């Protein structure tokens, strides 16, 4: 898949489920629950112990169920590890031009984090065709709408404090996708192996989108 095909899948699905801070041995149950809940796009963050192993496992066993990415990728060394593990897209909360270049070299979609118009344009000029608007929950949906005015060519994934109550607002404002963390994969509930909560939360978010 090239970057436009990956973006097309992300736009179609609208939800990227963020897996962060969970124990490696629980990844199979989590993946199964996400698939049951109808989630098709996932990212495993690299501030999670064993992230590369989890990406490798999901790539090997769930590649037909998910588009699998890596999150919290802050440097080129981590980006290469993520790509070697099988990640098809690489996200960060920050803008790192060298990470963008490395991803493009290996035909992987870079999704750098931006918070200003200057950063957004810089990401575009260096080849990023989708950006991560972070922290979207703080900046607000109207910020996305205003940014899309002069920079309509950008595809945006809104990430940061996204929940059932504001997901549709973000999409209506011009976000093409949203990244959702604990609202779906809540590591506190997973301490008790409550994997069914993932199914319920995923279905709840998706039903919210189907209302419009």
């Amino acid at each position: 898949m090239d970057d436009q095909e990956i973006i097309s899948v992300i736009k179609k699905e609208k939800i990227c489920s963020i897996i962060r801070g969970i124990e490696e041995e629980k990844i199979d149950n989590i993946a199964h629950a996400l698939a049951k809940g109808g989630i098709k796009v996932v990212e495993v963050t690299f501030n999670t112990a064993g992230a590369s192993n989890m990406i490798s496992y999901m790539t090997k066993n769930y590649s037909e169920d998910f588009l699998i990415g890596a999150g919290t990728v802050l440097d080129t060394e981590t980006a290469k590890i993520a790509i070697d593990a099988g990640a098809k897209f690489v996200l960060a909360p920050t803008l790192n031009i060298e990470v963008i270049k490395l991803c493009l070299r290996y035909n992987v979609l870079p999704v750098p984090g931006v918070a200003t118009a200057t950063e957004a344009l810089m990401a575009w000029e260096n080849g990023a065709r989708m950006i991560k608007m972070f922290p979207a929950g703080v900046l607000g949906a109207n910020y996305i709408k205003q940014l899309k005015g002069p920079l309509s060519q950008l595809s945006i994934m809104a990430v940061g404090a996204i929940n059932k109550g504001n997901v549709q607002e973000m999409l209506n404002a011009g976000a093409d996708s949203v990244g959702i963390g604990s609202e779906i994969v809540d590591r506190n509930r997973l301490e008790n192996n409550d994997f069914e909560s993932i199914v319920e939360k995923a279905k709840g978010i998706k039903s919210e989108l189907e209302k419009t």
Side-chain angles (χ1 to χ4, degrees), residues 7 9-16 41 130-131 144 155-159 162 167 170-171 174-179:
I7 288 174
V9 173
I10 294 173
K11 284 184 174 181
K12 177 184 176 184
E13 296 301 326
K14 294 185 173 63
I15 298 170
C16 174
V41 181
M130 173 169 274
I131 60 170
I144 294 173
S155 294
I156 295 176
M157 180 186 292
V159 183
I162 305 298
V167 59
M170 295 292 175
L171 295 170
D176 298 282
S177 174
V178 293

Side-chain angles (χ1 to χ4, degrees), residues 18-29:
I18 302 169
I19 300 171
R20 178 187 292 111
I22 61 96
E23 296 156 335
E24 186 178 336
E25 60 267 23
K26 294 182 179 180
I27 190 61
D28 187 64
N29 286 321

Side-chain angles (χ1 to χ4, degrees), residues 48-201:
T48 299
S52 61
N53 290 337
M54 286 186 268
I55 292 171
S56 295
Y57 181 85
M58 292 185 72
T59 298
K60 180 179 179 180
N61 296 283
Y62 289 93
S63 60
E64 294 186 4
D65 299 286
F66 302 112
L67 177 66
I68 303 161
T72 319
V73 176
L74 304 179
D75 51 55
T76 54
E77 293 81 5
T78 306
K80 187 61 166 62
I81 292 170
I83 292 167
D84 288 344
K88 299 302 182 187
F89 60 101
V90 168
L91 301 100
T94 54
L95 174 60
N96 185 314
I97 301 304
E98 294 306 313
V99 169
I100 293 174
K101 292 178 179 178
L102 185 138
C103 288
L104 295 175
R105 187 179 306 139
Y106 289 98
N107 201 34
V108 168
L109 177 70
V111 188
V114 308
T116 68
T118 298
E119 290 177 336
L121 182 58
M122 188 179 296
W124 173 269
E125 290 176 339
N126 282 278
R129 295 298 176 253
M130 173 169 274
I131 60 170
K132 170 180 171 176
M133 181 55 62
F134 178 82
V138 175
L139 295 169
N142 192 51
Y143 189 87
I144 294 173
K145 182 179 180 179
Q146 296 301 317
L147 186 70
K148 289 281 281 190
L151 298 173
S152 59
Q153 73 270 33
L154 291 171
S155 294
I156 295 176
M157 180 186 292
V159 183
I162 305 298
N163 53 53
K164 188 175 180 180
N166 63 13
V167 59
Q168 192 61 63
E169 182 184 14
M170 295 292 175
L171 295 170
N172 289 344
D176 298 282
S177 174
V178 293
I180 303 178
S182 59
E183 185 76 2
I184 295 178
V185 181
D186 184 347
R187 62 184 178 184
N188 293 322
R189 297 188 72 167
L190 293 184
E191 290 180 1
N192 298 317
N193 294 319
D194 182 9
F195 299 106
E196 191 60 29
S197 68
I198 295 175
V199 181
E200 295 170 0
K201 287 173 173 285

